[in-house]
Amino acid sequence: MKIDLHCHSQASWDSVSDFGSIIRRCKATGIRVQAITDHNEIWGAQTLQKMTQDDPDLRIIVGEEIYTEDGEIIGLYLQERIPPGLSTLETINRIKAQEGLVLLPHPFDKLKRSHLKSATRESLIDYIDIVEVFNAHISRQHYNQEAQEWA
């Protein structure tokens, strides 16, 4: 089963992907589970989830890429938006309070200003459920390899 756990929609400041094009891409590439993880928003994911609720071949996970005071983390299976700017631990606690999963995106891409600081990453290792080991928009390919080795 193909699963994509990090994708932005038109609800995110850095994406122009409209909802229909995301659905078509999933169908064309065989993705059966798609997490929509817009920056500091969940309305796009909720909209897509409603649009596909009767589609047996595609499930949408409501997620959010949240900017914390130490960098970005992703919450998956969210019911409510988590505001940006909180401490990383408070953000994680709010994800877990919703019975969500914590995904660490692009953890070693030092050229992304939003990557989680290494000291924070190491101190919160026990709270991280998923580590992104492949990001197509990574600054340098060896950062994906570093993430895989760390995971």
Side-chain angles (χ1 to χ4, degrees):
M1 177 183 293
K2 286 187 180 181
I3 301 171
D4 181 356
L5 296 178
H6 186 178
C7 179
H8 302 299
S9 78
Q10 66 194 50
S12 198
W13 62 266
D14 65 343
S15 175
V16 295
S17 297
D18 65 78
F19 303 133
S21 68
I22 291 172
I23 293 169
R24 287 189 298 278
R25 180 186 63 88
C26 288
K27 299 289 186 178
T29 59
I31 292 173
R32 300 279 312 255
V33 179
Q34 177 65 69
I36 301 299
T37 56
D38 292 316
H39 291 279
N40 305 313
E41 296 290 347
I42 64 170
W43 68 266
Q46 291 171 324
T47 300
L48 263 165
Q49 192 175 59
K50 286 177 188 164
M51 289 173 67
T52 60
Q53 66 187 356
D54 295 326
D55 186 338
D57 297 322
L58 180 59
R59 297 195 57 158
I60 301 295
I61 297 171
V62 175
E64 178 183 1
E65 189 164 10
I66 308 152
Y67 195 80
T68 74
E69 61 186 23
D70 295 307
E72 290 177 325
I73 59 171
I74 291 176
L76 299 174
Y77 296 101
L78 299 181
Q79 307 299 313
E80 297 176 12
R81 178 183 173 267
I82 297 171
L86 302 172
S87 74
T88 306
L89 186 56
E90 174 63 20
T91 302
I92 288 172
N93 287 336
R94 289 185 183 210
I95 293 168
K96 298 289 187 178
Q98 295 183 48
E99 298 183 5
L101 297 175
V102 175
L103 185 152
L104 184 60
H106 41 74
F108 289 89
D109 192 342
K110 296 163 188 69
L111 299 179
K112 287 187 186 284
R113 64 176 174 77
S114 58
H115 84 283
L116 196 64
K117 294 178 178 70
S118 61
T120 303
R121 180 184 63 233
E122 296 301 325
S123 71
L124 299 172
I125 193 168
D126 292 334
Y127 299 96
I128 297 168
D129 299 302
I130 302 165
V131 177
E132 182 179 61
V133 298
F134 177 78
N135 184 301
H137 296 287
I138 203 91
S139 300
R140 304 273 193 288
Q141 286 304 313
H142 68 88
Y143 293 145
N144 280 335
Q145 182 62 36
E146 286 180 53
Q148 185 173 355
E149 290 167 9
W150 188 80

